[in-house]
Amino acid sequence: MLRIRDLTLGYGGREPVLADLDLDLGERQFASLVGPSGSGKTSVLRAITGLQRPDSGLIDLGIPREEIGFLFQDDALLPWRTARENAALGLRIRGASKAEALEGAEAWLARLGLAGLGGRYPRQLSGGQRKRVAIAQVLALRPRLLLMDEPFAALDAIVRARATQDLLDLVQREGISVLLVTHDLEEAIAVSDVVHVLSGGPRARILASRAVPIARPRELLAVRGHPVFAPPAAPALARP
Amino acid sequence: MNTLLDRLWLRRVLALGSLVLLWEAAGWAGLLNPLFVSPPSEVAGVAFGLFADGSIWPHLQATFTAALLGLAAGLAIGILLGFAAALVPLLAALLEPVMMLLNAVPRVILAPLFVIWMGIDLGSKVALATVLVAVLVFFSVYSGVKEVDQRLVERVRTLGGGRAVLVREVYVPSVVSWVMGNLKVAVGFAFTGAVVGEFVASSRGLGYLLQFAQSTYNASLSLALVMLIMGFVLLLFFASERLEHRLLRWRHG
């Protein structure tokens, strides 16, 4: 579905923030790109969607660009549109009639636990609710590939856990491929099939790629008990 | 919250009332020379007389027509040029220096020139009000489009939106909020243009009456006219505020 080869990304002539990245994402696969701040994680997603031009390298999309959904770090909803209108925005842009788009948006809002809140403006919603509107906006377009840039980073721990679980359930059920960028290794392991770990920038590169041997469907709270999360065994103390 | 607002209003009314009473008392006590400052009761009497004998109406009509036409034309020109300059860099390079120059000088100095070009009738007053408003609105719109939240632009682009969608969904609403924020100032500018234009040369209007009052050393009439203009501009400020609340429900809701 997505094949990246020798991708180098920078900001206008300076030393590249990330260099020679190779990455593959299969159909229905959930992959994470984990790395510290400044390792160019977000830039990879921006390059895939066409928001940023790579210095060099190949991004081979096996699907049309319209089938990619991008969930930003901040919710970036239009403040002058209601939650329902924001959720319907993508559908309207893709040519759906106003009635169809609003109906589709309302259904997604309901699925994400926002039934009855469609008439509110973003400033009248909590951070978690705004995030769900942003998710509804993207999922209403039925993307086959979802790019997520730490979408729940700004939320408090409980809301974040619930939102992540809901999103995980949805992508599993809908069979959506996901590329998540995050700096949280534990979160990446809990949700992903494959985790790619980036070094720090500049010229960040993949240090390791590991498959996560946890079966699906997953419950985030339950998977934390899986042996992959067990701390390394303490070395036995030798008796004097 | 309501109680607090009520109290604020009450405090304002009390402060204004006290000032008027002090002014009146100073007049009666002979502390003010009526040739320069008439007491409020006399000013109110003159204002009432203007309405009672109907002599004020043609002047009000002239000033309001010039101000409102200037406001409408200034808004239209400012919005159009501001948008065009923000979206077409070549146009920005041409327009920005001219607008900067017009913004830097007190634009009322153009009043005599407009009178020479257009005569003493309505046209020269509308032109002055238009120039005053258009420059203000141009910069509001130009900055509004330039400083639009780039996260919203990127969001719309990733959803598949092109230039037309960006203009409709992001730029226009951003600019509306900027323009509405400046509407009250624009209303003030439009009246300034109309009244100053009439003051320079005209045969009707509140500015003409002011000029007449000054040339006949009539302080009561001058003060009555100043109060009337302030009252009308305050009314228009209130109407602008209501319009802003209506158009920017998302901000105030």
Side-chain angles (χ1 to χ4, degrees), chain A residues 52-100:
Chain A
Q52 184 173 339
R53 191 187 290 270
D55 288 359
S56 62
L58 170 82
I59 298 174
D60 181 14
L61 281 168
I63 54 171
R65 192 157 268 164
E66 295 79 56
E67 294 187 13
I68 302 176
F70 191 171
L71 215 44
F72 290 77
Q73 195 164 22
D74 42 52
D75 43 63
L77 298 173
L78 299 176
W80 38 82
R81 293 280 186 205
T82 61
R84 189 185 301 114
E85 289 166 341
N86 264 294
L89 183 63
L91 291 170
R92 289 283 286 146
I93 290 172
R94 303 281 167 91
S97 72
K98 191 172 181 183
E100 274 172 6

Side-chain angles (χ1 to χ4, degrees), chain B:
Chain B
M1 193 69 197
N2 260 341
T3 326
L4 193 70
L5 265 181
D6 289 346
R7 280 184 191 161
L8 185 65
W9 272 106
L10 192 65
R11 280 206 299 272
R12 283 174 177 170
V13 169
L14 278 175
L16 188 67
S18 310
L19 191 72
V20 171
L21 277 177
L22 266 176
W23 180 5
E24 183 71 28
W28 284 112
L31 297 173
L32 301 173
N33 184 345
L35 190 64
F36 300 112
V37 187
S38 318
S41 55
E42 201 177 311
V43 173
V46 170
F48 182 76
L50 286 171
F51 282 97
D53 65 13
S55 58
I56 191 76
W57 298 116
H59 300 290
L60 277 180
Q61 190 200 10
T63 304
F64 266 77
T65 307
L68 295 180
L69 283 178
L71 180 67
L75 282 171
I77 293 170
I79 290 172
L80 204 72
L81 292 183
F83 243 110
L87 297 178
V88 185
L90 177 68
L91 216 51
L94 292 172
L95 277 173
E96 214 179 358
V98 179
M99 290 296 185
M100 292 271 263
L101 193 68
L102 277 174
N103 198 33
V105 297
R107 295 188 286 289
V108 288
I109 60 169
L110 296 170
L113 206 57
F114 285 138
V115 171
I116 293 170
W117 289 344
M118 301 176 189
I120 65 164
D121 291 333
L122 188 66
S124 55
K125 285 74 192 163
V126 174
L128 187 62
T130 301
V131 171
L132 257 65
V133 173
V135 175
L136 170 82
V137 175
F138 170 83
F139 281 109
S140 299
V141 173
Y142 186 59
S143 326
V145 176
K146 283 277 180 199
E147 289 168 28
V148 79
D149 189 342
Q150 282 308 305
R151 294 171 310 163
L152 299 183
V153 172
E154 291 193 342
R155 163 56 61 106
V156 171
R157 281 182 60 196
T158 58
L159 291 172
R163 206 175 169 88
V165 177
L166 277 174
V167 168
R168 192 184 65 228
E169 295 291 338
V170 182
Y171 290 122
V172 168
S174 300
V175 163
V176 166
S177 62
W178 278 76
V179 170
M180 292 313 294
N182 278 310
L183 188 63
K184 280 195 278 191
V185 185
V187 166
F189 274 25
F191 267 85
T192 305
V195 172
V196 170
E198 289 163 353
F199 201 85
V200 170
S202 65
S203 55
R204 278 197 314 167
L206 296 175
Y208 162 78
L209 275 186
L210 265 174
Q211 211 276 335
F212 170 77
Q214 178 218 306
S215 61
T216 53
Y217 239 72
N218 189 340
S220 306
L221 181 59
S222 287
L223 280 167
L225 290 168
V226 168
M227 296 298 166
L228 274 180
I229 292 171
M230 281 166 73
F232 284 125
V233 170
L234 274 178
L235 269 179
L236 282 172
F237 271 23
F238 180 71
S240 313
E241 214 166 72
R242 301 297 304 168
L243 186 67
E244 185 194 340
H245 267 75
R246 198 177 165 77
L247 286 178
L248 306 184
R249 256 186 323 221
W250 55 271
R251 188 184 277 173
H252 303 288

